[in-house]
Amino acid sequence: TKCTSNYNLKYGYQIEIDKYTIYDLTKLELKDCTVVQSFSQPKETKMLTCSDCKYAPVDKTYFLPSTYAPALVPTNLPGGGYLTSETVVALNLIASELKKDGVNVYVTSAFRSYQQQLEAFNYWVNRELATGLDLQTARAKANVYSAFPGHSEHQLGTTLDIRCEDCSAFSKDVASNPVYQFLQKHAHEYGFVISYPAGKQHLTGYTYEPWHIRYIGVELATELFNRNYQSSSNNEYLTKFLIEKAMY
């Protein structure tokens, strides 16, 4: 990643020994590149059994049962949607603060049930299939930016996708999105964290999502922020932090 030039690498696969070989690697000058480890899919998944999974790690290993559904209230913000009451209170504080600078917050997506996540994931898989990919590859590619049902933080009711009202949905252009800029610096002050920071796909399994925030309370969010979890130079990220805290 972060290469200033493009390189074409030739590689071959040797069936008898199940090995990939990259050719002519020694001829390349890769001093301007950062080598990033790829994400390793978990060998097994684990269903969460918490009755209140507010602090549970929900990722590609840990998943919520299809019946999990917290108590929800409307966000009362443009875009609508439902979240837990304490999440809505914190979210509206952010919206009020941004409003002072003339920025209107828009909720792109809030709580999604297991069934809704299944439908969303299938939608993206079909989009990938339409490009000519086989089903296995389409599912794997979609899973880089969309979670399997049960594995989505949106089912917790404490997680949402957010943007400014006049901004494009799912744009990663932080420089032109005042909401993203605010979240990077201040989300923790309201109890939110960015679940999938930049440069950490090899850890989280998901691409950078500056719009995807999860409420875990001011104390925990601030502790994680102080660990510099948004930096790509360390191994700190939300799921790892929650497993360490073991509050679920």
Side-chain angles (χ1 to χ4, degrees):
T1 65
K2 301 181 182 178
C3 298
T4 57
S5 304
N6 292 320
Y7 299 97
N8 292 317
L9 301 180
K10 295 180 180 179
Y11 68 92
Y13 176 63
Q14 296 171 269
I15 298 176
E16 65 278 5
I17 58 174
D18 189 25
K19 180 180 179 181
Y20 286 93
T21 303
I22 298 178
Y23 299 97
D24 301 325
L25 187 61
T26 56
K27 296 180 181 180
L28 301 176
E29 294 182 3
L30 301 176
K31 296 178 182 179
D32 58 341
C33 297
T34 300
V35 178
V36 177
Q37 179 184 354
S38 61
F39 178 78
S40 298
Q41 288 287 352
K43 294 182 179 179
E44 62 177 348
T45 57
K46 303 174 184 178
M47 186 174 74
L48 294 160
T49 58
C50 40
S51 57
D52 180 358
C53 297
K54 173 182 174 181
Y55 300 117
V58 177
D59 62 358
K60 296 193 176 186
T61 297
Y62 295 91
F63 68 95
L64 296 162
S66 60
T67 54
Y68 183 82
L72 304 169
V73 298
T75 65
N76 294 320
L77 290 171
Y82 292 81
L83 295 166
T84 64
S85 58
E86 60 181 345
T87 305
V88 168
V89 169
L91 176 61
N92 276 273
L93 289 175
I94 289 179
S96 296
E97 189 63 29
L98 284 165
K99 185 75 172 178
K100 295 177 183 178
D101 295 325
V103 178
N104 294 319
V105 164
Y106 188 92
V107 179
T108 306
S109 181
F111 170 79
R112 288 201 295 266
S113 67
Y114 184 98
Q115 182 60 35
Q116 288 172 321
Q117 185 61 35
L118 175 61
E119 294 168 359
F121 182 73
N122 286 340
Y123 167 81
W124 292 114
V125 170
N126 285 325
R127 285 282 296 266
E128 296 294 349
L129 287 171
T131 67
L133 298 177
D134 62 84
L135 180 58
Q136 182 178 358
T137 304
R139 284 172 58 85
K141 192 170 181 180
N143 194 218
V144 170
Y145 54 83
S146 180
F148 291 137
H151 293 263
S152 173
E153 289 187 326
H154 283 277
Q155 192 180 340
L156 291 165
T158 58
T159 306
L160 69 148
D161 298 332
I162 187 177
R163 60 181 170 89
C164 43
E165 195 168 22
D166 56 350
C167 297
S168 299
F170 308 124
S171 167
K172 298 183 181 181
D173 184 7
V174 176
S176 65
N177 196 311
V179 172
Y180 298 167
Q181 295 172 34
F182 181 89
L183 293 175
Q184 286 182 341
K185 296 177 181 179
H186 304 292
H188 65 285
E189 298 170 10
Y190 300 85
F192 288 94
V193 296
I194 299 169
S195 297
Y196 312 123
K200 295 200 169 180
Q201 183 176 337
H202 64 294
L203 297 172
T204 66
Y206 295 103
T207 58
Y208 174 41
E209 294 190 357
W211 55 78
H212 182 107
I213 57 174
R214 176 176 170 181
Y215 181 81
I216 58 172
V218 174
E219 183 177 347
L220 289 176
T222 300
E223 181 180 345
L224 185 57
F225 180 83
N226 290 337
R227 293 190 186 190
N228 201 21
Y229 80 100
Q230 294 184 57
S231 172
S232 59
S233 63
N234 61 46
N235 291 330
E236 296 290 345
Y237 63 105
L238 178 58
T239 300
K240 173 177 174 288
F241 178 73
L242 292 176
I243 291 173
E244 173 189 319
K245 291 298 178 181
M247 296 170 62
Y248 57 96

